[in-house]
Amino acid sequence: MAVTIRDVAKASGVHISTVSRTFSAPHLVNPETRTRVLATAEELGYRPNRAARALITGRTHNIGLIVADIANPFFPPMIKAAETHARRRDYHVFVADTDEDPVVETDLVRALAKQVDGILLCSPRMSDDQIEQLRREVPLVVVNRLIDGLPAVVMDVGAGARSAVRHLVGLGHRHLVYLSGPRGSWTNREIRKAAGAAARSGGAELTVLGPHQPISSAGADAAETVLATGATAVLAYNDLMAVGLLQSLQDRGVAVPERVSVVGFDDIATSALVRPTLTTVANPTAAAGRAAVDMLLQQGDDGATGQVSLRTDLVIRNSTGPGPYAPAGATTAEVAAYAKE
Amino acid sequence: MAVTIRDVAKASGVHISTVSRTFSAPHLVNPETRTRVLATAEELGYRPNRAARALITGRTHNIGLIVADIANPFFPPMIKAAETHARRRDYHVFVADTDEDPVVETDLVRALAKQVDGILLCSPRMSDDQIEQLRREVPLVVVNRLIDGLPAVVMDVGAGARSAVRHLVGLGHRHLVYLSGPRGSWTNREIRKAAGAAARSGGAELTVLGPHQPISSAGADAAETVLATGATAVLAYNDLMAVGLLQSLQDRGVAVPERVSVVGFDDIATSALVRPTLTTVANPTAAAGRAAVDMLLQQGDDGATGQVSLRTDLVIRNSTGPGPYAPAGATTAEVAAYAKE
DNA sequence: TAATCTGTTGCAAACGTTTGCCGAATGGAG
DNA sequence: CTCCATTCGGCAAACGTTTGCAACAGATTA
């Protein structure tokens, strides 16, 4: 059916090993022979069978990319960047969605293991132990979570949370709320810790609400509780929740940012499209995808297990404004400038 | 290194073929032997190597999913649904992004061909000829495009466009604009044709603008031109463009829907989050993903090349309202009801 | 009792590659 | 002219499976 190395060999009058070498070790074959083989290969439409090659070399030139939820707008840019980057290095990418289920995660890693050279585990929800176990079965790079001894790419959400809190405190807010994300999320823990510390050192109070599903309806549902705390500023686990909260507050006639300021995380596309536009901590998700791919592909060479932390950036838009303790008469821009350390 | 069928055979004292059959044809092996083999397999942590199996059976149990742009919010729900559906049937999914480039599309199909049992081609930008050619090299299902003789899953965007136009005409609009999408898009052509016909039969004028990139900034950039036409209602190729337009109109102080009504396509998540919320034609993208997978997997059995068209639904929200020729005093809801045939 | 059938297992070839090894041919050095 | 090194290409084994065929035992039938 399909044209194989054998067909090319026959058609060009050489042994199959010569054809093989023409493709995988060109310097070992006479330039003349090589061009002849390449010509007939082209003519016949021959393409090497990667699966067969993998069988003997042990390298599949495939990688796996496992995420909690493809439809969560946080992931697509990362998937896209990782796929493009991998393809440029001649790797194909399996993408799988776990629906935030740790059991599915484990099964998926095992199922994919034999078919890939390594797996990118994005925002995994399983325990550290499970991940370390899997790491023994297949090369792994963890994204959005730090585990001792495991290669990882994370966004520095701690720093992001700190600048967000400083921004809010600088604007004159003294009582903040943190809208937690899902249980088991490393990112969530980091943000909570960093925000708590930053609030304390800024002389502000931080009320933690949650856990919540990382979706907009959860943000909307939290509006009532948020208002009940009497806080004047909210930091949300992600933009989806922040946007949900934003809309819900507006529906209740609560002015943003006049009465409540809102800050999100991720800077998904929607955040610049809602009104008021959302102040948020931008994560370099595309860069993270690329870095993770690089790390995975280098893993074979040395055994070094790097851990990189990528810079996050506070993007100040219109959902944050002066709070009750703001310097009199200051505008958002002026006060915000002060927050820039 | 990894545990193979041979290890299991040795450990349980049978021939490798018996182990093989234990997994791929259990009824051919004695229940006693079978349980013994299964036990040692479990104990050793054996997992069949799909690549090796594929080599001999010719079935990889993988499928390819090629989309124009993973980061376009239209696709993730479809990717997610397709992946989940495929996995339930024990298939793994390669995802790849072409960045709207027809050349990359072709290369990708060829590169993936040997490694998959078939490919889902979503919103392809290449010519019909090229697709028909590729179809000879690997089983294909085309999504969002209709080509004679090729299995396909499409959304009935024509019907969607018709209801959108009827809705607008019913509201009293007589001059509409269609904001075209990208060149080469089948969907775009369908919408344009259907909208044109519906407008004519409703006694309204339709001005076509474009082509445009299917992104929000293109919608925003078109605002000026749209206003210059004097039209009172706009149908956009997709929600991204519609939302961009919405914001741009607001920034110019043009009230929506009071002065201009806007309708989008796709019903992406953002559409319900912007204000005014967007009236749009909802596409069953998840269902399309599942249907396409089913169609691809059945293709082997019979040679039947089905073509299914999925229902679309006009979702009326707040970006559309009465136009200049609306029955006096009518509210949006009342007038809209009239449009429901 | 012989012949036939059924259920279970082993044997070996095959899938499409890669790669270590060996021999042939070539060319330069001595 | 001989010897050695180098370059090139063929041979065959290997990767981890599946599967048609044959062998065998025991059960059933005539």
Side-chain angles (χ1 to χ4, degrees):
Chain A
M1 188 76 237
V3 27
T4 81
I5 208 175
R6 223 168 297 268
D7 302 322
V8 179
K10 196 158 297 173
S12 48
V14 298
H15 193 261
I16 57 163
S17 53
T18 304
V19 180
S20 171
R21 278 189 275 257
T22 302
F23 288 96
S24 47
H27 60 283
L28 287 184
V29 18
N30 188 312
E32 249 175 71
T33 329
R34 195 196 309 159
T35 47
R36 186 156 42 94
V37 171
L38 283 175
T40 52
E42 169 71 18
E43 188 182 337
L44 267 49
Y46 167 75
R47 320 216 51 147
N49 181 324
R50 280 164 169 248
R53 176 181 293 180
L55 200 53
I56 191 158
T57 61
R59 328 235 67 222
T60 62
H61 265 249
N62 292 149
I63 69 181
L65 177 52
I66 299 183
V67 303
D69 178 7
I70 297 175
N72 178 334
F74 174 80
F75 288 111
M78 193 164 94
I79 299 175
K80 182 182 172 105
E83 195 276 328
T84 303
H85 202 63
R87 183 146 39 85
R88 190 162 296 140
R89 285 159 177 57
D90 199 26
Y91 277 74
H92 294 157
V93 181
F94 283 111
V95 174
D97 179 304
T98 66
D99 251 326
E100 311 256 353
D101 183 339
V103 178
V104 175
E105 264 176 3
T106 321
D107 290 351
L108 224 28
V109 171
R110 294 231 162 83
L112 243 28
K114 286 287 194 357
Q115 246 178 137
V116 301
D117 293 341
I119 293 181
L120 263 36
L121 215 49
C122 305
S123 311
R125 304 288 188 237
M126 13 179 192
S127 71
D128 286 10
D129 286 351
Q130 285 176 296
I131 299 180
E132 279 165 6
Q133 168 60 36
L134 290 173
R135 155 81 157 136
R136 261 172 254 133
E137 306 177 22
V138 55
L140 240 45
V141 167
V142 180
V143 180
N144 278 337
R145 177 154 163 181
L146 232 34
I147 302 174
D148 269 0
L150 287 198
V153 175
V154 297
M155 332 267 186
D156 192 354
V157 288
R162 273 191 295 279
S163 12
V165 169
R166 283 206 201 100
H167 168 60
L168 292 170
V169 169
L171 281 168
H173 295 275
R174 289 294 175 271
H175 186 179
L176 320 181
V177 162
Y178 175 53
L179 233 47
S180 293
R183 203 186 305 279
S185 157
W186 177 87
T187 299
N188 186 53
R189 280 202 306 280
E190 290 299 304
I191 297 178
R192 179 164 30 77
K193 280 194 307 198
R200 252 194 314 284
S201 86
E205 180 188 351
L206 181 83
T207 307
V208 176
L209 261 31
H212 304 277
Q213 287 277 87
I215 55 180
S216 65
S217 62
D221 294 345
E224 204 63 60
T225 325
V226 166
L227 292 175
T229 64
T232 59
V234 183
L235 180 62
Y237 168 73
N238 71 6
D239 281 0
L240 243 26
M241 292 170 60
V243 168
L245 174 67
L246 228 50
Q247 308 298 13
S248 181
L249 289 175
Q250 279 180 336
D251 292 347
R252 281 158 219 270
V254 177
V256 176
E258 291 75 11
R259 230 181 90 202
V260 176
S261 286
V262 176
V263 179
F265 255 89
D266 294 350
D267 195 21
I268 60 176
T270 303
S271 308
L273 297 175
V274 294
R275 294 300 143 92
T277 54
L278 186 67
T279 294
T280 186
V281 177
N283 284 330
T285 50
R290 285 189 291 267
V293 168
D294 282 341
M295 199 175 280
L296 191 62
L297 299 188
Q298 280 164 12
Q299 210 168 308
D301 311 350
D302 42 31
T305 68
Q307 301 203 138
V308 335
S309 178
L310 266 28
R311 259 196 58 192
T312 55
D313 259 316
L314 180 64
V315 180
I316 298 175
R317 296 209 183 91
N318 303 323
S319 66
T320 48
Y325 301 89
T331 70
T332 302
E334 283 163 3
V335 182
Y338 155 83
K340 293 249 175 185
E341 309 170 85
Chain B
M1 188 75 238
V3 26
T4 82
I5 208 175
R6 224 169 294 269
D7 302 322
V8 179
K10 195 157 295 175
S12 48
V14 297
H15 193 260
I16 59 162
S17 53
T18 302
V19 179
S20 171
R21 278 189 276 258
T22 302
F23 288 96
S24 47
H27 61 283
L28 287 183
V29 18
N30 186 313
E32 248 174 72
T33 327
R34 195 196 309 158
T35 46
R36 187 155 44 93
V37 170
L38 284 175
T40 52
E42 169 71 19
E43 187 183 338
L44 266 50
Y46 167 74
R47 321 218 49 148
N49 182 323
R50 280 165 168 247
R53 177 181 292 180
L55 199 52
I56 191 156
T57 61
R59 327 235 69 219
T60 62
H61 265 249
N62 293 149
I63 68 181
L65 177 52
I66 299 183
V67 303
D69 178 7
I70 298 175
N72 179 332
F74 173 80
F75 288 112
M78 193 165 94
I79 299 175
K80 182 182 172 106
E83 195 275 328
T84 304
H85 201 63
R87 183 145 39 84
R88 191 162 294 139
R89 284 157 177 57
D90 199 26
Y91 277 75
H92 293 157
V93 181
F94 282 109
V95 174
D97 179 302
T98 67
D99 252 324
E100 312 256 352
D101 183 338
V103 178
V104 176
E105 265 175 4
T106 321
D107 290 352
L108 225 26
V109 171
R110 293 230 163 85
L112 244 26
K114 285 289 195 350
Q115 246 177 139
V116 300
D117 293 342
I119 293 181
L120 263 37
L121 216 48
C122 305
S123 310
R125 304 286 186 240
M126 12 179 192
S127 72
D128 286 11
D129 286 350
Q130 285 176 295
I131 298 181
E132 278 164 7
Q133 168 59 34
L134 290 173
R135 156 79 158 139
R136 262 173 252 133
E137 308 177 20
V138 55
L140 241 44
V141 168
V142 181
V143 180
N144 278 337
R145 177 152 164 182
L146 232 34
I147 301 174
D148 269 0
L150 288 197
V153 174
V154 298
M155 332 268 186
D156 192 353
V157 288
R162 274 191 295 279
S163 10
V165 169
R166 283 207 202 100
H167 167 60
L168 292 170
V169 170
L171 281 167
H173 294 276
R174 290 294 174 271
H175 186 180
L176 320 180
V177 162
Y178 174 53
L179 234 46
S180 293
R183 202 185 306 277
S185 157
W186 178 87
T187 298
N188 186 53
R189 281 201 305 279
E190 289 301 303
I191 297 178
R192 179 165 29 77
K193 280 194 307 198
R200 255 193 312 284
S201 87
E205 181 186 351
L206 181 82
T207 305
V208 176
L209 262 32
H212 305 277
Q213 288 276 87
I215 54 180
S216 63
S217 62
D221 294 345
E224 204 63 61
T225 325
V226 166
L227 292 174
T229 64
T232 59
V234 183
L235 180 61
Y237 168 73
N238 71 5
D239 282 1
L240 243 26
M241 291 170 60
V243 168
L245 175 66
L246 228 51
Q247 307 298 14
S248 180
L249 288 176
Q250 279 181 335
D251 291 348
R252 282 159 217 271
V254 177
V256 177
E258 289 75 11
R259 230 180 92 202
V260 175
S261 285
V262 176
V263 180
F265 255 88
D266 295 350
D267 196 21
I268 60 177
T270 304
S271 308
L273 297 176
V274 295
R275 294 301 144 92
T277 54
L278 187 67
T279 293
T280 185
V281 177
N283 284 331
T285 50
R290 286 188 291 267
V293 168
D294 282 341
M295 197 174 280
L296 190 63
L297 298 189
Q298 280 163 14
Q299 210 167 307
D301 312 350
D302 41 30
T305 68
Q307 303 202 137
V308 334
S309 178
L310 267 27
R311 259 196 57 192
T312 55
D313 259 317
L314 180 65
V315 179
I316 299 175
R317 297 211 183 88
N318 302 324
S319 66
T320 49
Y325 301 87
T331 69
T332 302
E334 283 161 4
V335 182
Y338 156 82
K340 292 252 175 182
E341 307 169 80

